[in-house]
């Protein structure tokens, strides 16, 4: 049994191609079950997001398995098989396991280290489970990947490091104010940057967010799109509103400062983030006890965050090889691998005996006819042993696995593997070989 990943992703394909290669939620059940019925596919999970469509599968033969995965994708999306082959990135065995670990932690995401992909991986896995297209191997692999990703995002909080001036401003406000449930934030200016800040701030549990814009109607319309804690105030009340806030973010394109040092009171206001260029606040003579950050201050923080982010991503990636090792250490504990190898060898021996007998009885067959017959005979054998392989693989995870495997061997006339010889046999069975 081998783990295979066939990936169509943003690193190779532009958006106009990727958008043609997406499975909708409504299609997933049919797609998973159809792929599961393909030759050599013992287990499978389909992961489909805006940046990637990937198939993770357990196959009994690598060459056959990856061919039928690509053929399935080509047929489903009505694209030539050769084109799919050109686009697809195929990872095998340890590389496929490592790829899933990297994907689930966000290391392969467009925004590297982002945690949202973990939710998408979980949804894909749970969906496949509900469609009964996973088994003991992928169940363990995906559960391990999910646990690994959670651990990495707890240990390395990459997503908390701000990447834009607006995010950095909000992060500095959170550090300054700490608890936000009783605090008021004022955002001045509802251009593109101000709206982005508002969107992020609305998720941060401020008691109140007040927005102001030179065009009052625009501020009022934006406030309606959020919860009741987002309100607008008329532009004419700017000075009064700012002095009622705990924190202020200025994000206008005004050519002259909107606030002077004499306009601010230290009674309540604790921090100002000025995103304007020119600056919205005349900060040189600020005498009140208010922390002030202009765009240069925020840029320095972003630069420092970038260096720290790269360091964290490297640290996260360094844990992946250990996860791959752990997965294969677990897989080697499954006594089923040598049993499957015996079953396949027995079936192929029978196929060869029948094929040789047929040629003896029909000597007039030409080379092409012999090739066609051989191909179809092998196909019959593969289809006949596919279900037994699936069943014995599931038996190996049961508490009484040794008894079940012995019974399975008895039914198919196979030699039961002695416990002390299991490790050696498993290596011979090709756990790490094609």
């Amino acid at each position: 049994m081998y783990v295979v990943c066939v990936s169509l992703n943003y690193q190779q394909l532009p958006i106009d191609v990727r958008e043609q290669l997406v499975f909708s939620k409504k299609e997933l059940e049919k797609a998973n079950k159809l792929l599961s019925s393909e030759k050599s596919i013992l287990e499978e999970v389909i992961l489909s997001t805006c940046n990637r469509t990937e198939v993770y599968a357990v196959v009994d033969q690598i060459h056959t398995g990856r061919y039928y995965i690509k053929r399935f994708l080509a047929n489903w999306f009505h694209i030539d098989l050769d084109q799919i082959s050109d686009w697809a990135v195929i990872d095998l065995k340890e590389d496929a396991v490592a790829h899933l670990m990297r994907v689930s932690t966000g290391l392969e995401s467009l925004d590297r280290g982002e945690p949202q992909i973990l939710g998408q991986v979980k949804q894909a896995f749970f969906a496949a489970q509900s469609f009964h297209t996973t088994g003991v191997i992928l169940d363990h692999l995906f559960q391990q990947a999910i646990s690994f990703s959670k651990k990495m995002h707890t240990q390395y909080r990459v997503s908390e490091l701000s990447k834009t001036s607006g995010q950095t401003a909000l992060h500095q406000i959170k550090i300054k104010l700490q608890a936000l449930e009783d605090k008021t934030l004022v955002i001045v200016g509802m251009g593109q940057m101000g709206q982005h800040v508002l969107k992020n701030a609305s998720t941060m549990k401020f008691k109140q967010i007040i927005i102001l814009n030179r065009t009052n109607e625009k501020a009022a319309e934006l406030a309606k799109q959020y919860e009741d804690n987002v309100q607008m105030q008329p532009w004419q009340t700017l000075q009064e509103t700012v002095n009622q806030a705990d924190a202020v973010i200025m994000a206008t394109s005004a050519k002259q400062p909107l606030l002077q040092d004499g306009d601010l009171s230290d009674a309540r206001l604790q921090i100002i983030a000025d995103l304007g260029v020119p600056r919205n606040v005349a900060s040189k003579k600020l005498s009140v006890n208010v922390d002030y950050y202009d765009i240069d201050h925020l840029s320095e923080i972003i630069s420092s965050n970038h260096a720290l982010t790269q360091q964290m991503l490297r640290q996260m990636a360094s844990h992946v090889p250990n996860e791959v090792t752990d997965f294969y250490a677990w897989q080697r504990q499954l006594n089923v691998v040598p049993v499957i190898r015996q079953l396949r060898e027995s079936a192929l021996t029978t196929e060869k005996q029948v094929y040789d007998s047929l040629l003896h009885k029909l000597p007039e067959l030409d080379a092409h006819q012999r090739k066609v017959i051989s191909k179809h005979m092998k196909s019959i054998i593969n289809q006949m042993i596919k279900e037994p392989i699936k069943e014995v693989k599931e038996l190996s995870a049961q508490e009484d696995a040794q008894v079940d495997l012995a019974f399975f061997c008895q039914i198919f006339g196979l030699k039961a593997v002695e416990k002390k010889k299991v490790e050696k046999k498993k290596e011979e069975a090709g756990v790490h070989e094609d």
Side-chain angles (χ1 to χ4, degrees):
M1 297 176 295
Y2 309 95
V3 180
V4 174
C5 174
V6 177
S7 177
L8 302 164
N9 61 65
Y10 76 94
Q11 293 174 329
Q12 280 73 38
L13 305 175
I15 183 63
D16 60 332
V17 174
R18 295 200 311 276
E19 63 189 6
Q20 302 175 44
L21 306 173
V22 177
F23 292 92
S24 69
K25 289 183 178 180
K26 293 181 179 179
E27 294 174 326
L28 276 179
E29 180 172 6
K30 180 180 178 181
N32 274 277
K33 290 182 176 179
L34 184 60
L35 175 57
S36 184
S37 68
E38 292 282 4
K39 186 189 298 185
S40 284
I41 310 298
L42 305 179
E43 303 179 33
E44 57 78 24
V45 172
I46 296 174
L47 171 64
S48 189
T49 73
C50 58
N51 285 326
R52 67 183 64 251
T53 289
E54 297 181 334
V55 171
Y56 295 87
V58 175
V59 302
D60 59 357
Q61 298 179 90
I62 286 180
H63 178 75
T64 306
R66 63 187 176 190
Y67 168 79
Y68 280 98
I69 293 171
K70 291 189 294 182
R71 192 186 73 164
F72 161 77
L73 292 170
N75 291 341
W76 184 275
F77 294 118
H78 306 292
I79 294 173
D80 187 78
L81 179 59
D82 289 338
Q83 183 66 80
I84 289 290
S85 297
D86 289 342
W87 288 342
V89 176
I90 300 177
D91 289 308
L92 309 173
K93 298 178 286 188
E94 287 89 345
D95 291 340
V97 173
H99 182 73
L100 177 59
M101 298 299 169
R102 292 179 61 84
V103 167
S104 65
T105 53
L107 289 169
E108 294 295 324
S109 295
L110 189 59
D111 179 12
R112 294 187 70 210
E114 56 88 12
Q116 287 78 15
I117 186 64
L118 174 58
Q120 296 169 316
V121 169
K122 289 168 65 175
Q123 289 174 6
F125 169 54
F126 293 145
Q129 267 194 326
S130 70
F131 306 142
H132 307 291
T133 64
T134 67
V136 64
I137 303 295
L138 288 189
D139 282 349
H140 183 90
L141 176 58
F142 271 81
Q143 287 166 2
Q144 181 182 339
I146 291 168
S147 296
F148 174 60
S149 179
K150 289 179 179 178
K151 179 182 177 181
M152 289 296 99
H153 285 299
T154 299
Q155 187 171 348
Y156 306 105
R157 298 184 177 276
V158 176
S159 61
E160 294 184 4
L161 295 176
S162 306
K163 299 179 179 65
T164 67
S165 55
Q167 291 173 340
T168 305
L170 287 170
H171 186 64
Q172 295 306 119
I173 288 171
K174 184 178 180 180
I175 292 174
K176 178 70 176 181
L177 302 182
Q178 297 184 350
L180 303 178
E181 289 78 7
D182 61 342
K183 300 299 192 297
T184 295
L185 170 68
V186 169
I187 305 174
V188 181
M190 284 292 108
Q192 184 175 358
M193 184 178 294
Q195 291 183 45
H196 182 71
V197 170
L198 173 59
K199 182 178 180 180
N200 287 330
S202 66
T203 67
M204 295 178 62
K205 299 182 180 179
F206 283 99
K207 178 182 180 181
Q208 187 178 37
I209 299 175
I210 299 174
I211 60 176
L212 297 93
N213 194 66
R214 286 188 183 276
T215 306
N216 292 329
E217 292 78 10
K218 182 177 182 179
E221 190 63 32
L222 285 169
K224 292 178 182 179
Q225 299 175 18
Y226 292 87
E227 301 292 336
D228 293 339
N229 68 322
V230 177
Q231 302 172 3
M232 67 81 64
Q233 288 291 340
W235 180 258
Q236 296 78 6
T237 67
L238 173 62
Q239 182 178 335
E240 177 186 352
T241 302
V242 165
N243 284 309
Q244 293 176 353
D246 299 284
V248 174
I249 295 180
M250 306 291 292
T252 79
S253 57
K255 299 297 183 183
Q256 299 295 328
L258 299 176
L259 295 173
Q260 306 290 334
D261 57 322
D263 297 332
L264 302 175
S265 167
D266 61 356
R268 182 171 176 180
L269 184 61
Q270 297 185 53
I271 180 170
I272 297 176
D274 189 347
L275 308 184
V277 179
R279 288 175 289 184
N280 293 170
V281 180
S283 61
K284 292 183 178 180
K285 296 182 180 181
L286 282 179
S287 58
V288 294
N289 187 27
V290 177
D291 289 352
Y292 175 80
Y293 295 87
D294 62 22
I295 197 69
D296 285 352
H297 298 140
L298 297 174
S299 295
E300 289 177 6
I301 296 173
I302 292 171
S303 179
S304 176
N305 284 349
H306 177 72
L308 184 56
T309 295
Q310 297 307 308
Q311 179 183 349
M312 286 186 174
L313 291 173
R314 288 193 295 269
Q315 291 172 328
M316 288 172 66
S318 71
H319 292 280
V320 171
N322 288 337
E323 291 298 311
V324 176
T325 299
D326 289 347
F327 172 75
Y328 278 100
W330 167 83
Q331 190 189 65
R332 283 193 295 272
Q333 295 173 6
L334 296 177
N335 296 344
V336 69
V337 176
V339 174
I340 292 175
R341 176 66 174 270
Q342 282 192 72
L343 178 61
R344 175 168 293 283
E345 289 177 348
S346 176
L348 291 177
T349 298
T350 301
E351 181 267 335
K352 185 178 185 306
Q353 290 172 348
V354 174
Y355 177 71
D356 290 343
S357 175
L358 183 63
L359 294 187
H360 180 72
K361 294 177 181 179
L362 299 173
E364 69 276 10
L365 294 175
D366 60 30
H368 174 70
Q369 291 170 329
R370 293 183 181 190
K371 184 177 180 180
V372 170
I373 291 173
S374 176
K375 180 179 178 180
H376 282 277
M377 288 184 67
K378 284 183 169 61
S379 177
I380 292 170
I381 291 295
N382 287 330
Q383 291 302 308
M384 287 185 67
I385 65 175
K386 180 177 179 179
E387 287 305 316
I389 288 175
K390 283 186 176 182
E391 291 301 320
V392 73
K393 182 167 55 67
E394 298 305 312
L395 289 176
S396 67
Q398 305 301 318
E399 292 183 3
D400 53 353
Q402 286 297 118
V403 176
D404 290 336
L405 289 175
F407 183 57
F408 182 91
C409 290
Q410 183 179 354
I411 291 175
F412 285 93
L414 308 176
K415 294 180 181 179
V417 181
E418 296 179 22
K419 219 171 186 180
K420 62 183 179 180
K421 296 182 180 178
V422 164
E423 290 301 322
K424 182 179 179 181
K425 289 288 187 181
K426 279 183 238 174
E427 293 297 328
E428 293 173 354
V431 174
H432 293 292
E433 299 175 4
D434 191 343

